[in-house]
Amino acid sequence: MTERALLVIDEGTTSTRAMLFTPDGTCLGSEQKDITQNYTAPGWVEHDAEEIWSLSLACAQAMVAKAGGAGRIEAIGITNQRETIVFWSRRTGRALAPAIVWQDRRTANLCRDLKDKGHEAEVQASTGLLLDPYFSASKIAWALGTWPQLEEAGNDLCIGTVESWLIHRLTGGLHVSDATNASRTALMNIGTGRWDAALMDLWQVPGTALPEIADCAGRFGATSADLFGAPIPICGMAGDQQAAAIGQACLATGDTKATYGTGAFILTNTGCEFRRSEHRLLSTIAWQLGGDRNYALEGSVFVAGSLIQWLRDDLGLLASSNESEALARSVADNGGVYLVPALSGLGAPHWQPDARAAISGLSFASSRAHIVRAALEAMAHQTRDLMAAFASDGANWQSLKVDGGMIANDWLTQDLADLLDLKVERPVFIETTALGAAMLAGVGSGMFGSLEEAARMRGPVERFEPKMEEKDRDVRLAGWREALAAVLG
Ligand SMILES: Nc1ncnc2c1ncn2[C@@H]1O[C@H](COP(=O)(O)OP(=O)(O)O)[C@@H](O)[C@H]1O
Ligand SMILES: O=P(O)(O)OC[C@H](O)CO
C-alpha cells in the first residue's frame, strides 16, 4: 500500500466497528465488537458509554496496527448511531450516567404532554422533527430532572451524541458535534445550524453543556498521541444514516437510499433548501460543508433487523438471521399472515409510541415459514407507506439505493423491488455507512476536493427489477392495510 489509508469508526446500535479504506474504496480490514444492550425497564434501552469508548478504541487500535502504524493513516472519519445521548465530565472525561439510546421510549409521556400543550408545530418549524421520544432533547430533559449527579456537575457537565463523546475521548478534551448529529437532538435550529435558545428553554437544557456544532468534513483535531502511537487527524463526522446516504452517492436532489439495519432509515436528498414535511416525515441535514447545508427528508422505521433478531433469539423461530431467506422461499406466499412490527411503537409516518405489534391471519395451516415471510414482507410494506408519504411531500423516488445488514437477503431485496414497483440498487460492497464516513474524512483531509470526487470510492452495484404482477401486489397491500389499521386502532 503506497497511499495512506482512511480509518473509520462506525459506532452502531448493536456493534461498533473500525474499518480501513484505500482512497479508491477498497476495504483493507475491519474489526467489530458487540455493544451490550441494557433493557433496564420496559421500553428503556441504555448503553454503557465507557463500553462504547473502550470497544471503539480497541477496534480502531486493531486497524491502526493492521495499517502498519499511525503514520500510515491519512485521517479518521467517525459515524454513529444518532440521537443516543451521553453525559460526561469535562474535567475527567468519564461518563456520569448511562447513555440513553435512540430506541428508548421512557419520555413518551413528556412528549405527549408537550404535544397536548400545542408545542409540536414550533418544534417542527425550528427542527424539522416531531415530538417523539426518539430524539435526544426529551431524553436529556428526563436525565437532568432525574439523575442528581448531572445537576451537581454544573459547568463540568458535557452532553453530546456518540460522535461528540468519542471525539472528546480521542482528543482528550474537544467538545464538538457535527450538523447532521446535532440536527437529531431537537435542540438545533435546522435553518441556522445553531443551538436554538427557545428550544433549550423548552427542554431546560443548559447551553454550557452542549458541544460546538461543526461541518461534516474538516480538521477538527487530532487524537492524543498515546492512543495510537502518534496523533492522527480527525477529519470526518456524520450520523450513520447521513453517512450511508453519502456512501451511496446520494449527492443529487431526489437521490434516495434505504438502510435496513436494526431499524430502517430512508433519506431523499432535497437540496440546499430546508423543506418542512406535510406528511409526518422528518427534515434533516444530510451534510454540512463549508458552512453550507444540504437537506434531506427522512422516514425512520424503528424495527427492521431487530424483528429478525427477536424471531431468532426470543421466539426461537430462526436458527440464524440468514435462515429467514430460505424459509421465505420455502412457501408460495404469506398464507394470509401479516406482521405489523410495532415492537417499540411505530415511527414514520404514524409516530405512535404506544402502538403494539401484531401477527394476524393465523390458522392451523400457518407455519413458522409463513410468520418469517410475513416479517420480511413487513419491510416492503412499511417502505411502500413511506414512498407514498415522500411522494405527497413532492419527493418521487425514481429508484432506491439499499444497504444495511438485512439487505444481504436477496429475497427481501427482490420483494422491495416488487412491492415498490421500483428499480432497487444494491452495492456489492454493502458497508456504505463506513464508506460515507471515509469519503468525508478524505474530503476533510484534502485527499479529495469534493464529495463528488470522493464518490469514486463507491464500487459496482447489483440491480433488482420489479417482477411482481399488479394483482399480487394489490392483494399484499390490501392485507397489510387491514393489519395496520387494526394496530393503529
Ligand atoms: N440474511 C438476513 N436476512 C434478514 N435479516 C438479516 C440478515 N442478516 C442480518 N440481518 C439483520 O440485520 C441486522 C444487522 O444489520 P446491521 O446493518 O449490521 O445493523 P446495525 O448497523 O443497526 O447494528 C440484524 O438485526 C440482523 O438480524
Ligand atoms: O445503529 P443503526 O445503524 O441501527 O442506526 C441507528 C440510527 O442512527 C438511529 O436514528
Side-chain angles (χ1 to χ4, degrees):
M1 182 173 67
T2 50
E3 286 165 302
R4 296 201 303 169
L6 295 162
L7 171 63
V8 168
I9 299 174
D10 176 3
E11 203 297 301
T13 313
T14 52
S15 69
T16 187
R17 284 168 243 200
M19 285 187 178
L20 212 51
F21 291 93
T22 61
D24 70 359
T26 305
C27 180
L28 296 172
S30 149
E31 179 83 2
Q32 176 167 355
K33 291 186 189 295
D34 285 344
I35 296 291
T36 312
Q37 310 295 316
N38 296 315
Y39 302 106
T40 42
W44 293 29
V45 192
E46 294 177 353
H47 286 169
D48 175 355
E50 292 294 338
E51 181 190 75
I52 287 179
W53 160 242
S54 58
L55 296 184
S56 301
L57 176 64
C59 290
Q61 284 173 332
M63 285 300 102
V64 172
K66 186 167 180 79
R72 300 299 311 145
I73 309 280
E74 164 87 4
I76 294 179
I78 300 176
T79 182
N80 55 288
Q81 52 168 323
R82 308 165 305 164
E83 299 95 16
T84 298
I85 199 79
V86 185
F87 307 89
W88 71 93
S89 157
R90 195 181 311 277
R91 190 171 44 79
T92 67
R94 303 288 299 180
L96 293 171
I100 306 181
V101 177
W102 62 273
Q103 296 155 315
D104 193 293
R105 322 301 293 158
R106 78 183 65 184
T107 54
N109 286 341
L110 183 57
C111 293
R112 196 175 304 109
D113 281 355
L114 286 177
K115 211 172 185 170
D116 291 347
K117 287 180 186 148
H119 286 288
E120 189 164 73
E122 79 189 72
V123 168
Q124 195 190 16
S126 21
T127 65
L129 310 176
L130 297 165
L131 273 173
D132 190 272
Y134 177 30
F135 308 106
S136 321
S138 68
K139 301 178 200 290
I140 300 173
W142 182 94
L144 292 177
T146 312
W147 288 329
Q149 70 273 28
L150 302 186
E151 199 185 336
E152 282 158 18
N155 282 341
D156 185 42
L157 176 67
C158 285
I159 302 176
T161 38
V162 170
E163 82 301 339
S164 184
W165 163 240
L166 292 176
I167 288 184
H168 194 272
R169 293 299 287 260
L170 284 166
T171 59
L174 206 61
H175 194 200
V176 65
S177 177
D178 77 283
T180 67
N181 274 296
S183 78
R184 313 297 296 188
T185 58
L187 291 169
M188 191 195 82
N189 186 302
I190 193 170
T192 64
R194 298 210 181 91
W195 300 121
D196 186 294
L199 292 168
M200 291 193 304
D201 202 39
L202 179 71
W203 297 108
Q204 295 284 291
V205 176
T208 51
L210 295 176
E212 182 195 332
I213 303 173
D215 279 355
C216 298
R219 292 194 169 264
F220 306 118
T223 60
S224 305
D226 57 324
L227 297 177
F228 303 111
I232 304 175
I234 301 172
C235 295
M237 46 175 170
D240 56 8
Q241 302 309 322
Q242 283 86 342
I246 293 167
Q248 288 272 31
C250 288
L251 302 181
T253 303
D255 287 351
T256 303
K257 76 90 201 180
T259 301
Y260 299 83
T262 307
F265 302 90
I266 304 177
L267 270 76
T268 297
N269 182 336
T270 55
C272 49
E273 294 292 320
F274 160 44
R275 275 196 1 219
R276 192 167 59 81
S277 170
E278 303 287 339
H279 298 89
R280 316 283 295 157
L281 299 173
L282 307 174
S283 307
T284 201
I285 294 180
W287 62 81
Q288 180 179 302
L289 293 176
D292 293 332
R293 283 174 287 288
N294 197 102
Y295 294 91
L297 275 176
E298 174 172 327
S300 320
V301 172
F302 296 148
V303 175
S306 53
L307 177 64
I308 303 303
Q309 274 170 291
W310 177 73
L311 293 178
R312 187 190 66 198
D313 303 339
D314 294 278
L315 299 196
L317 287 188
L318 288 168
S320 66
S321 299
N322 262 341
E323 196 199 356
S324 62
E325 176 160 356
L327 276 173
R329 287 187 196 281
S330 73
V331 284
D333 54 34
N334 62 18
V337 178
Y338 286 85
L339 197 159
V340 182
L343 290 149
S344 53
L346 282 173
H350 314 289
W351 302 102
Q352 298 251 348
D354 300 323
R356 286 288 167 266
I359 304 176
S360 60
L362 294 169
S363 73
F364 281 124
S366 311
S367 66
R368 88 184 160 107
H370 289 114
I371 296 175
V372 169
R373 181 162 169 147
L376 293 180
E377 286 185 351
M379 300 306 126
H381 294 147
Q382 296 182 101
T383 308
R384 174 87 189 199
D385 287 351
L386 286 173
M387 185 168 87
F390 274 83
S392 304
D393 269 337
N396 292 296
W397 302 348
Q398 301 306 318
S399 66
L400 189 65
K401 299 177 173 186
V402 296
D403 54 65
M406 286 192 98
I407 287 301
N409 187 319
D410 285 351
W411 186 89
L412 168 63
T413 310
Q414 181 60 47
D415 195 52
L416 282 167
D418 285 342
L419 209 87
L420 302 176
D421 197 14
L422 205 64
K423 275 185 203 148
V424 168
E425 199 177 286
R426 176 175 73 182
V428 172
F429 179 71
I430 208 96
E431 298 288 351
T432 54
T433 299
L435 196 64
M439 291 178 188
L440 286 170
V443 171
S445 77
M447 178 183 264
F448 304 119
S450 65
L451 278 183
E452 285 72 15
E453 196 186 315
R456 67 165 195 234
M457 290 181 82
R458 188 175 184 244
V461 299
E462 293 170 79
R463 292 196 171 80
F464 293 74
E465 302 280 344
K467 291 184 189 142
M468 186 179 266
E469 288 194 29
E470 201 172 332
K471 64 176 177 26
D472 295 333
R473 190 179 302 122
D474 289 346
V475 170
R476 281 269 304 272
L477 289 172
W480 165 252
R481 276 188 210 112
E482 202 179 309
L484 181 66
V487 163
L488 292 173

